Amino acid sequence: MSDSTPRKESHAHGLRLVVGAFPDELFTPRRPAPPPPHLVPVLAELSRGTPGTVACRNLRMSPRTYSRRVAELLECLGAQSRFQGGAQAVRRGWLVGACLAGTAEGG
């Protein structure tokens, strides 16, 4: 029994050393990075539920470019569908401010 006491103390001491070796910023939650600026208008159109053809017109881009930007946005969010993308954008706080400002006037 006396053999296990020193081992526990040294184990606890080693644990303190390991935990103390990490900077505090590793344990504080970080704000997620904002969306890439060129994807913010696409996110805003998606958040409004704007049909793709109308979104293309609003953003003055071709349907192919719009489709690529939506795919890029979903990749940034780690989503496999637009619904998942919307959920991830909300979790990251991306659907606040400018994106939602336009939705207040529409409904």
Side-chain angles (χ1 to χ4, degrees), residues 7-93:
R7 207 174 332 159
K8 284 182 184 178
E9 288 174 2
S10 66
H11 184 281
H13 178 68
L15 206 66
R16 267 186 257 120
L17 288 176
V18 169
V19 172
F22 294 105
D24 287 339
E25 67 242 12
L26 291 178
F27 298 104
T28 55
R30 284 188 262 172
R31 294 186 67 190
H38 70 285
L39 298 179
V40 171
V42 174
L43 179 60
E45 293 293 335
L46 289 171
S47 72
R48 291 184 197 105
T50 308
T53 53
V54 176
C56 291
R57 239 185 349 253
N58 292 347
L59 299 175
R60 299 173 192 231
M61 62 177 64
S62 72
R64 174 80 177 116
T65 299
Y66 182 74
S67 178
R68 281 196 329 262
R69 298 261 171 99
V70 169
E72 184 181 353
L73 178 64
L74 294 179
E75 187 177 330
C76 285
L77 291 164
Q80 296 177 5
S81 70
R82 290 179 180 207
F83 183 83
Q84 278 184 336
Q88 287 296 331
V90 168
R91 284 189 193 117
R92 292 179 186 209

